[in-house]
Amino acid sequence: MVETPSNPPSGLSDVPPEKRPRHIAIIMDGNGRWARRQGLPRIEGHRHGVASLRRVVEECGRLGIEQLTLYCLSSENWKRPPQELDFLMQLLEQYMIEERSGILRQNIRISVIGRREGIPDRALKQIDKTLELTRENTGPRLCLAINYGARAELVDAVRAIARGVQSGRLDVESITEQTIDDHLYTAGMIEPDLLIRTAGEMRLSNFLLWQLSYAEIWVTEKTWPEFDEALLHEAIRDYAARTRRFGGLEE
Ligand code: IPE
Ligand code: IPE
Ligand code: MG
């Protein structure tokens, strides 16, 4: 018998490019649960999560998705045990080093959103190097949310706007939604069209509260280490079949 790969990429020829989301955001959850089910320590879940990340980044590139935003570490995740956090920081540093050539090959432009405080210098150094190397890339954008919290982002935006008013650069009456957009970490990026969350939880966990206002939400029971091309296609197919009204009426 001929061996076939267990998860061959099935293609997405049934969904024309204009029906596909331009920007996909993902809450990559369930690494710990996956590891527990395998009888492994939680950190093994994170290690396997990196393999999913690689798969999804490559597949989004093939599908012509303009931007992928991934929730890697929330500002609330600092509540976790130091050993797990140390491991996550090591993984982050390693990812930035090991994936660099692949990212450059795929012409990906990296962005990072979140606060730098708390991230070890070693990891920051590798992040900055990748940011610098990919700055001129013209391909898909990969935005990594690291030490990210939407409420912290809004606080930072309000502070920046207040400073602008204080210095006379901004006028209170001329503050609009666009002004707020322009002061978020995501300034200049398009809004997510599709939000995927793995591991079944029906919540946003402080992710992109402003930017997800009209995103379509798709949740799978599968954990992040189990996430593959076929599931990504399923989410995109489901998205393509929905009607987005943005508060208006169906045509
Ligand atoms: C997501 O998986 C990864 C991070 C939040 C860093 P979890 O570590 O939250 O896995 P569960 O939710 O405990 O299974
Ligand atoms: C959200 O997952 C954060 C990331 C995926 C990085 P959590 O596991 O932290 O979310 P909660 O605690 O279940 O809401
Ligand atoms: Mg979790």
Side-chain angles (χ1 to χ4, degrees):
M1 222 175 83
V2 180
E3 283 274 318
T4 49
S6 54
N7 276 318
S10 59
L12 203 60
S13 48
D14 51 320
V15 181
E18 67 276 11
K19 283 269 192 187
R20 295 177 191 173
R22 292 176 64 197
H23 180 178
I24 299 178
I26 308 184
I27 302 177
M28 311 183 287
D29 198 16
N31 292 354
R33 276 165 279 179
W34 178 86
R36 198 181 56 226
R37 283 177 210 148
Q38 316 292 315
L40 296 168
R42 287 180 58 84
I43 58 166
E44 287 305 317
H46 298 314
R47 208 195 296 278
H48 280 79
V50 175
S52 296
L53 203 154
R54 196 175 297 129
R55 278 200 294 272
V56 168
V57 168
E58 293 207 354
E59 187 58 9
C60 280
R62 278 192 286 268
L63 296 173
I65 307 300
E66 284 172 51
Q67 182 168 338
L68 181 63
T69 298
L70 302 172
Y71 207 3
C72 304
L73 187 80
S74 80
S75 44
E76 287 70 36
N77 286 147
W78 296 111
K79 294 173 189 161
R80 295 186 179 201
Q83 302 90 310
E84 181 169 343
L85 290 164
D86 283 350
F87 185 80
L88 285 169
M89 293 304 145
Q90 265 178 45
L91 212 55
L92 175 61
E93 185 186 340
Q94 206 180 328
Y95 176 83
M96 287 294 162
I97 297 169
E98 288 176 1
E99 299 304 305
R100 204 169 278 144
S101 59
I103 285 169
L104 286 167
R105 180 175 39 79
Q106 295 169 79
N107 195 19
I108 291 172
R109 185 162 42 131
I110 298 264
S111 305
V112 173
I113 54 172
R115 287 186 180 164
R116 289 169 73 91
E117 295 95 83
I119 310 288
D121 287 342
R122 289 172 58 127
L124 285 176
K125 197 171 143 217
Q126 298 305 333
I127 292 173
D128 290 342
K129 191 167 170 190
T130 306
L131 286 175
E132 184 54 32
L133 282 170
T134 67
R135 208 151 51 98
E136 307 287 325
N137 284 359
T138 52
R141 186 167 209 162
L142 174 61
C143 176
L144 302 174
I146 301 168
N147 189 17
Y148 174 88
R151 290 180 178 178
E153 178 184 35
L154 286 164
V155 168
D156 288 348
V158 169
R159 283 183 185 157
I161 292 170
R163 277 195 296 271
V165 170
Q166 209 170 33
S167 69
R169 181 174 58 82
L170 282 172
D171 167 43
V172 172
E173 296 311 317
S174 59
I175 293 173
T176 61
E177 291 185 8
Q178 188 62 48
T179 318
I180 295 176
D181 256 333
D182 293 343
H183 288 83
L184 294 173
Y185 307 148
T186 52
M189 297 180 191
I190 51 173
E191 281 180 12
D193 300 298
L194 170 64
L195 171 72
I196 295 175
R197 181 164 188 151
T198 58
E201 239 68 75
M202 298 285 183
R203 55 177 172 254
L204 293 177
S205 303
N206 203 15
F207 191 40
L208 301 174
L209 297 183
W210 172 276
Q211 298 87 337
L212 289 170
S213 292
Y214 270 103
E216 295 294 325
I217 301 175
W218 191 85
V219 177
T220 173
E221 285 300 322
K222 292 273 196 235
T223 61
W224 180 246
E226 297 169 297
F227 196 82
D228 60 8
E229 293 87 346
L231 275 170
L232 178 69
H233 294 175
E234 200 181 316
I236 295 175
R237 256 187 215 106
D238 198 88
Y239 167 86
R242 297 188 194 179
T243 305
R244 300 181 78 186
R245 285 185 288 276
F246 299 97
L249 299 177
E250 226 169 296
E251 278 153 32

